Amino acid sequence: MSLPGRFIAVEGFHATGKTTQVARLAEHLRDAGRDVVQTFEPGGTALGTSLRRLLLDGEGTVEPEAEALLMAADRAQHVMEVVRPALAAGSWVVTDRFMPSSLAYQGVGRGLGVPAIELVNGIATGGLEPDLVLVLDLPPEIATERFGAARDRLEEEDDAFRLAVHEAYRDLAGTRGWVLLDAAGSVEDVEARIWSAVSEHLA
């Protein structure tokens, strides 16, 4: 009989180092003897790849409501195709973004309201929530300095939007039990903070 899988979401504003840290966390867990599925949103499925292009790389305007619904569609496919099967098989799932991103970006950043985004995403996920949410916290002006020359649609947003998303993550973490982690310093420093949090909360 396999042990139950666990579900970890790594969150934060763009360029906080999530992708690097998700890979390192997955490797730590494998070294600890866990079977791990490493994934990401948007775009963690074949359908999601097409949705990601529409959301982040397409031309023209994407209205906030459309953005929120496309994100939820990507998440619904991701949950059914990747996350739930892995958890059912006893694997640990580590994802770069999940529902907290929509709460921060579309709920607060786009001004659609956290309750509305929760409602839509509750349908998309079937009520599935991570066992642990880790939020990498970095001042938006520092994160912006890390952006490359080619920026996606969300990275092109103005300072007010970036600050709103940053503050949303901090506020939501304080009320929802998400673990807020300092993302400043070396990759190794942040890696150690993440592993300490995972060891503490999911031992």
Side-chain angles (χ1 to χ4, degrees):
M1 180 177 179
S2 61
L3 294 172
R6 307 300 291 273
F7 184 22
I8 303 172
V10 180
E11 289 283 348
F13 189 67
H14 281 59
T16 51
K18 297 182 315 307
T19 302
T20 296
Q21 294 302 337
V22 163
R24 291 190 173 219
L25 174 57
E27 191 60 33
H28 271 295
L29 290 168
R30 291 187 183 105
D31 289 344
R34 305 292 185 182
D35 184 67
V36 180
V37 172
Q38 179 185 334
T39 187
F40 65 97
E41 291 186 357
T45 64
L47 174 62
T49 299
S50 297
L51 293 173
R52 183 183 180 91
R53 284 197 296 267
L54 290 172
L55 282 161
L56 300 181
D57 303 324
E59 297 181 358
T61 300
V62 177
E63 295 297 332
E65 293 83 358
E67 182 180 276
L69 292 170
L70 287 169
M71 289 289 189
D74 170 83
R75 187 159 297 125
Q77 189 74 18
H78 187 221
V79 166
M80 293 302 295
E81 188 175 321
V82 178
V83 181
R84 284 195 184 278
L87 293 174
S91 299
W92 285 50
V93 177
V94 182
T95 185
D96 180 344
R97 298 200 181 282
F98 194 63
M99 182 172 164
S101 285
S102 288
L103 300 183
Y105 278 80
Q106 286 78 48
V108 178
R110 297 300 191 203
L112 297 178
V114 168
I117 299 302
E118 282 188 308
L119 177 62
V120 170
N121 280 270
I123 297 170
T125 65
L128 178 66
E129 295 186 4
D131 296 292
L132 180 63
V133 176
L134 304 171
V135 178
L136 301 187
D137 184 56
L138 193 68
E141 62 273 15
I142 297 178
T144 301
E145 292 175 357
R146 298 180 176 181
F147 288 173
R151 300 186 180 190
D152 66 32
R153 191 191 306 276
L154 291 175
E155 290 171 342
E156 288 287 357
E157 288 293 338
D158 60 20
D159 290 344
F161 178 82
R162 296 169 188 165
L163 181 60
V165 172
H166 175 254
E167 292 301 321
Y169 270 122
R170 294 177 67 89
D171 293 343
L172 289 164
T175 60
R176 293 168 183 261
W178 303 346
V179 179
L180 195 68
L181 296 172
D182 183 5
S186 69
V187 170
E188 291 75 19
D189 288 341
V190 180
E191 178 183 355
R193 291 173 198 137
I194 289 174
W195 185 238
S196 177
V198 171
S199 301
E200 177 183 349
H201 289 82
L202 296 180

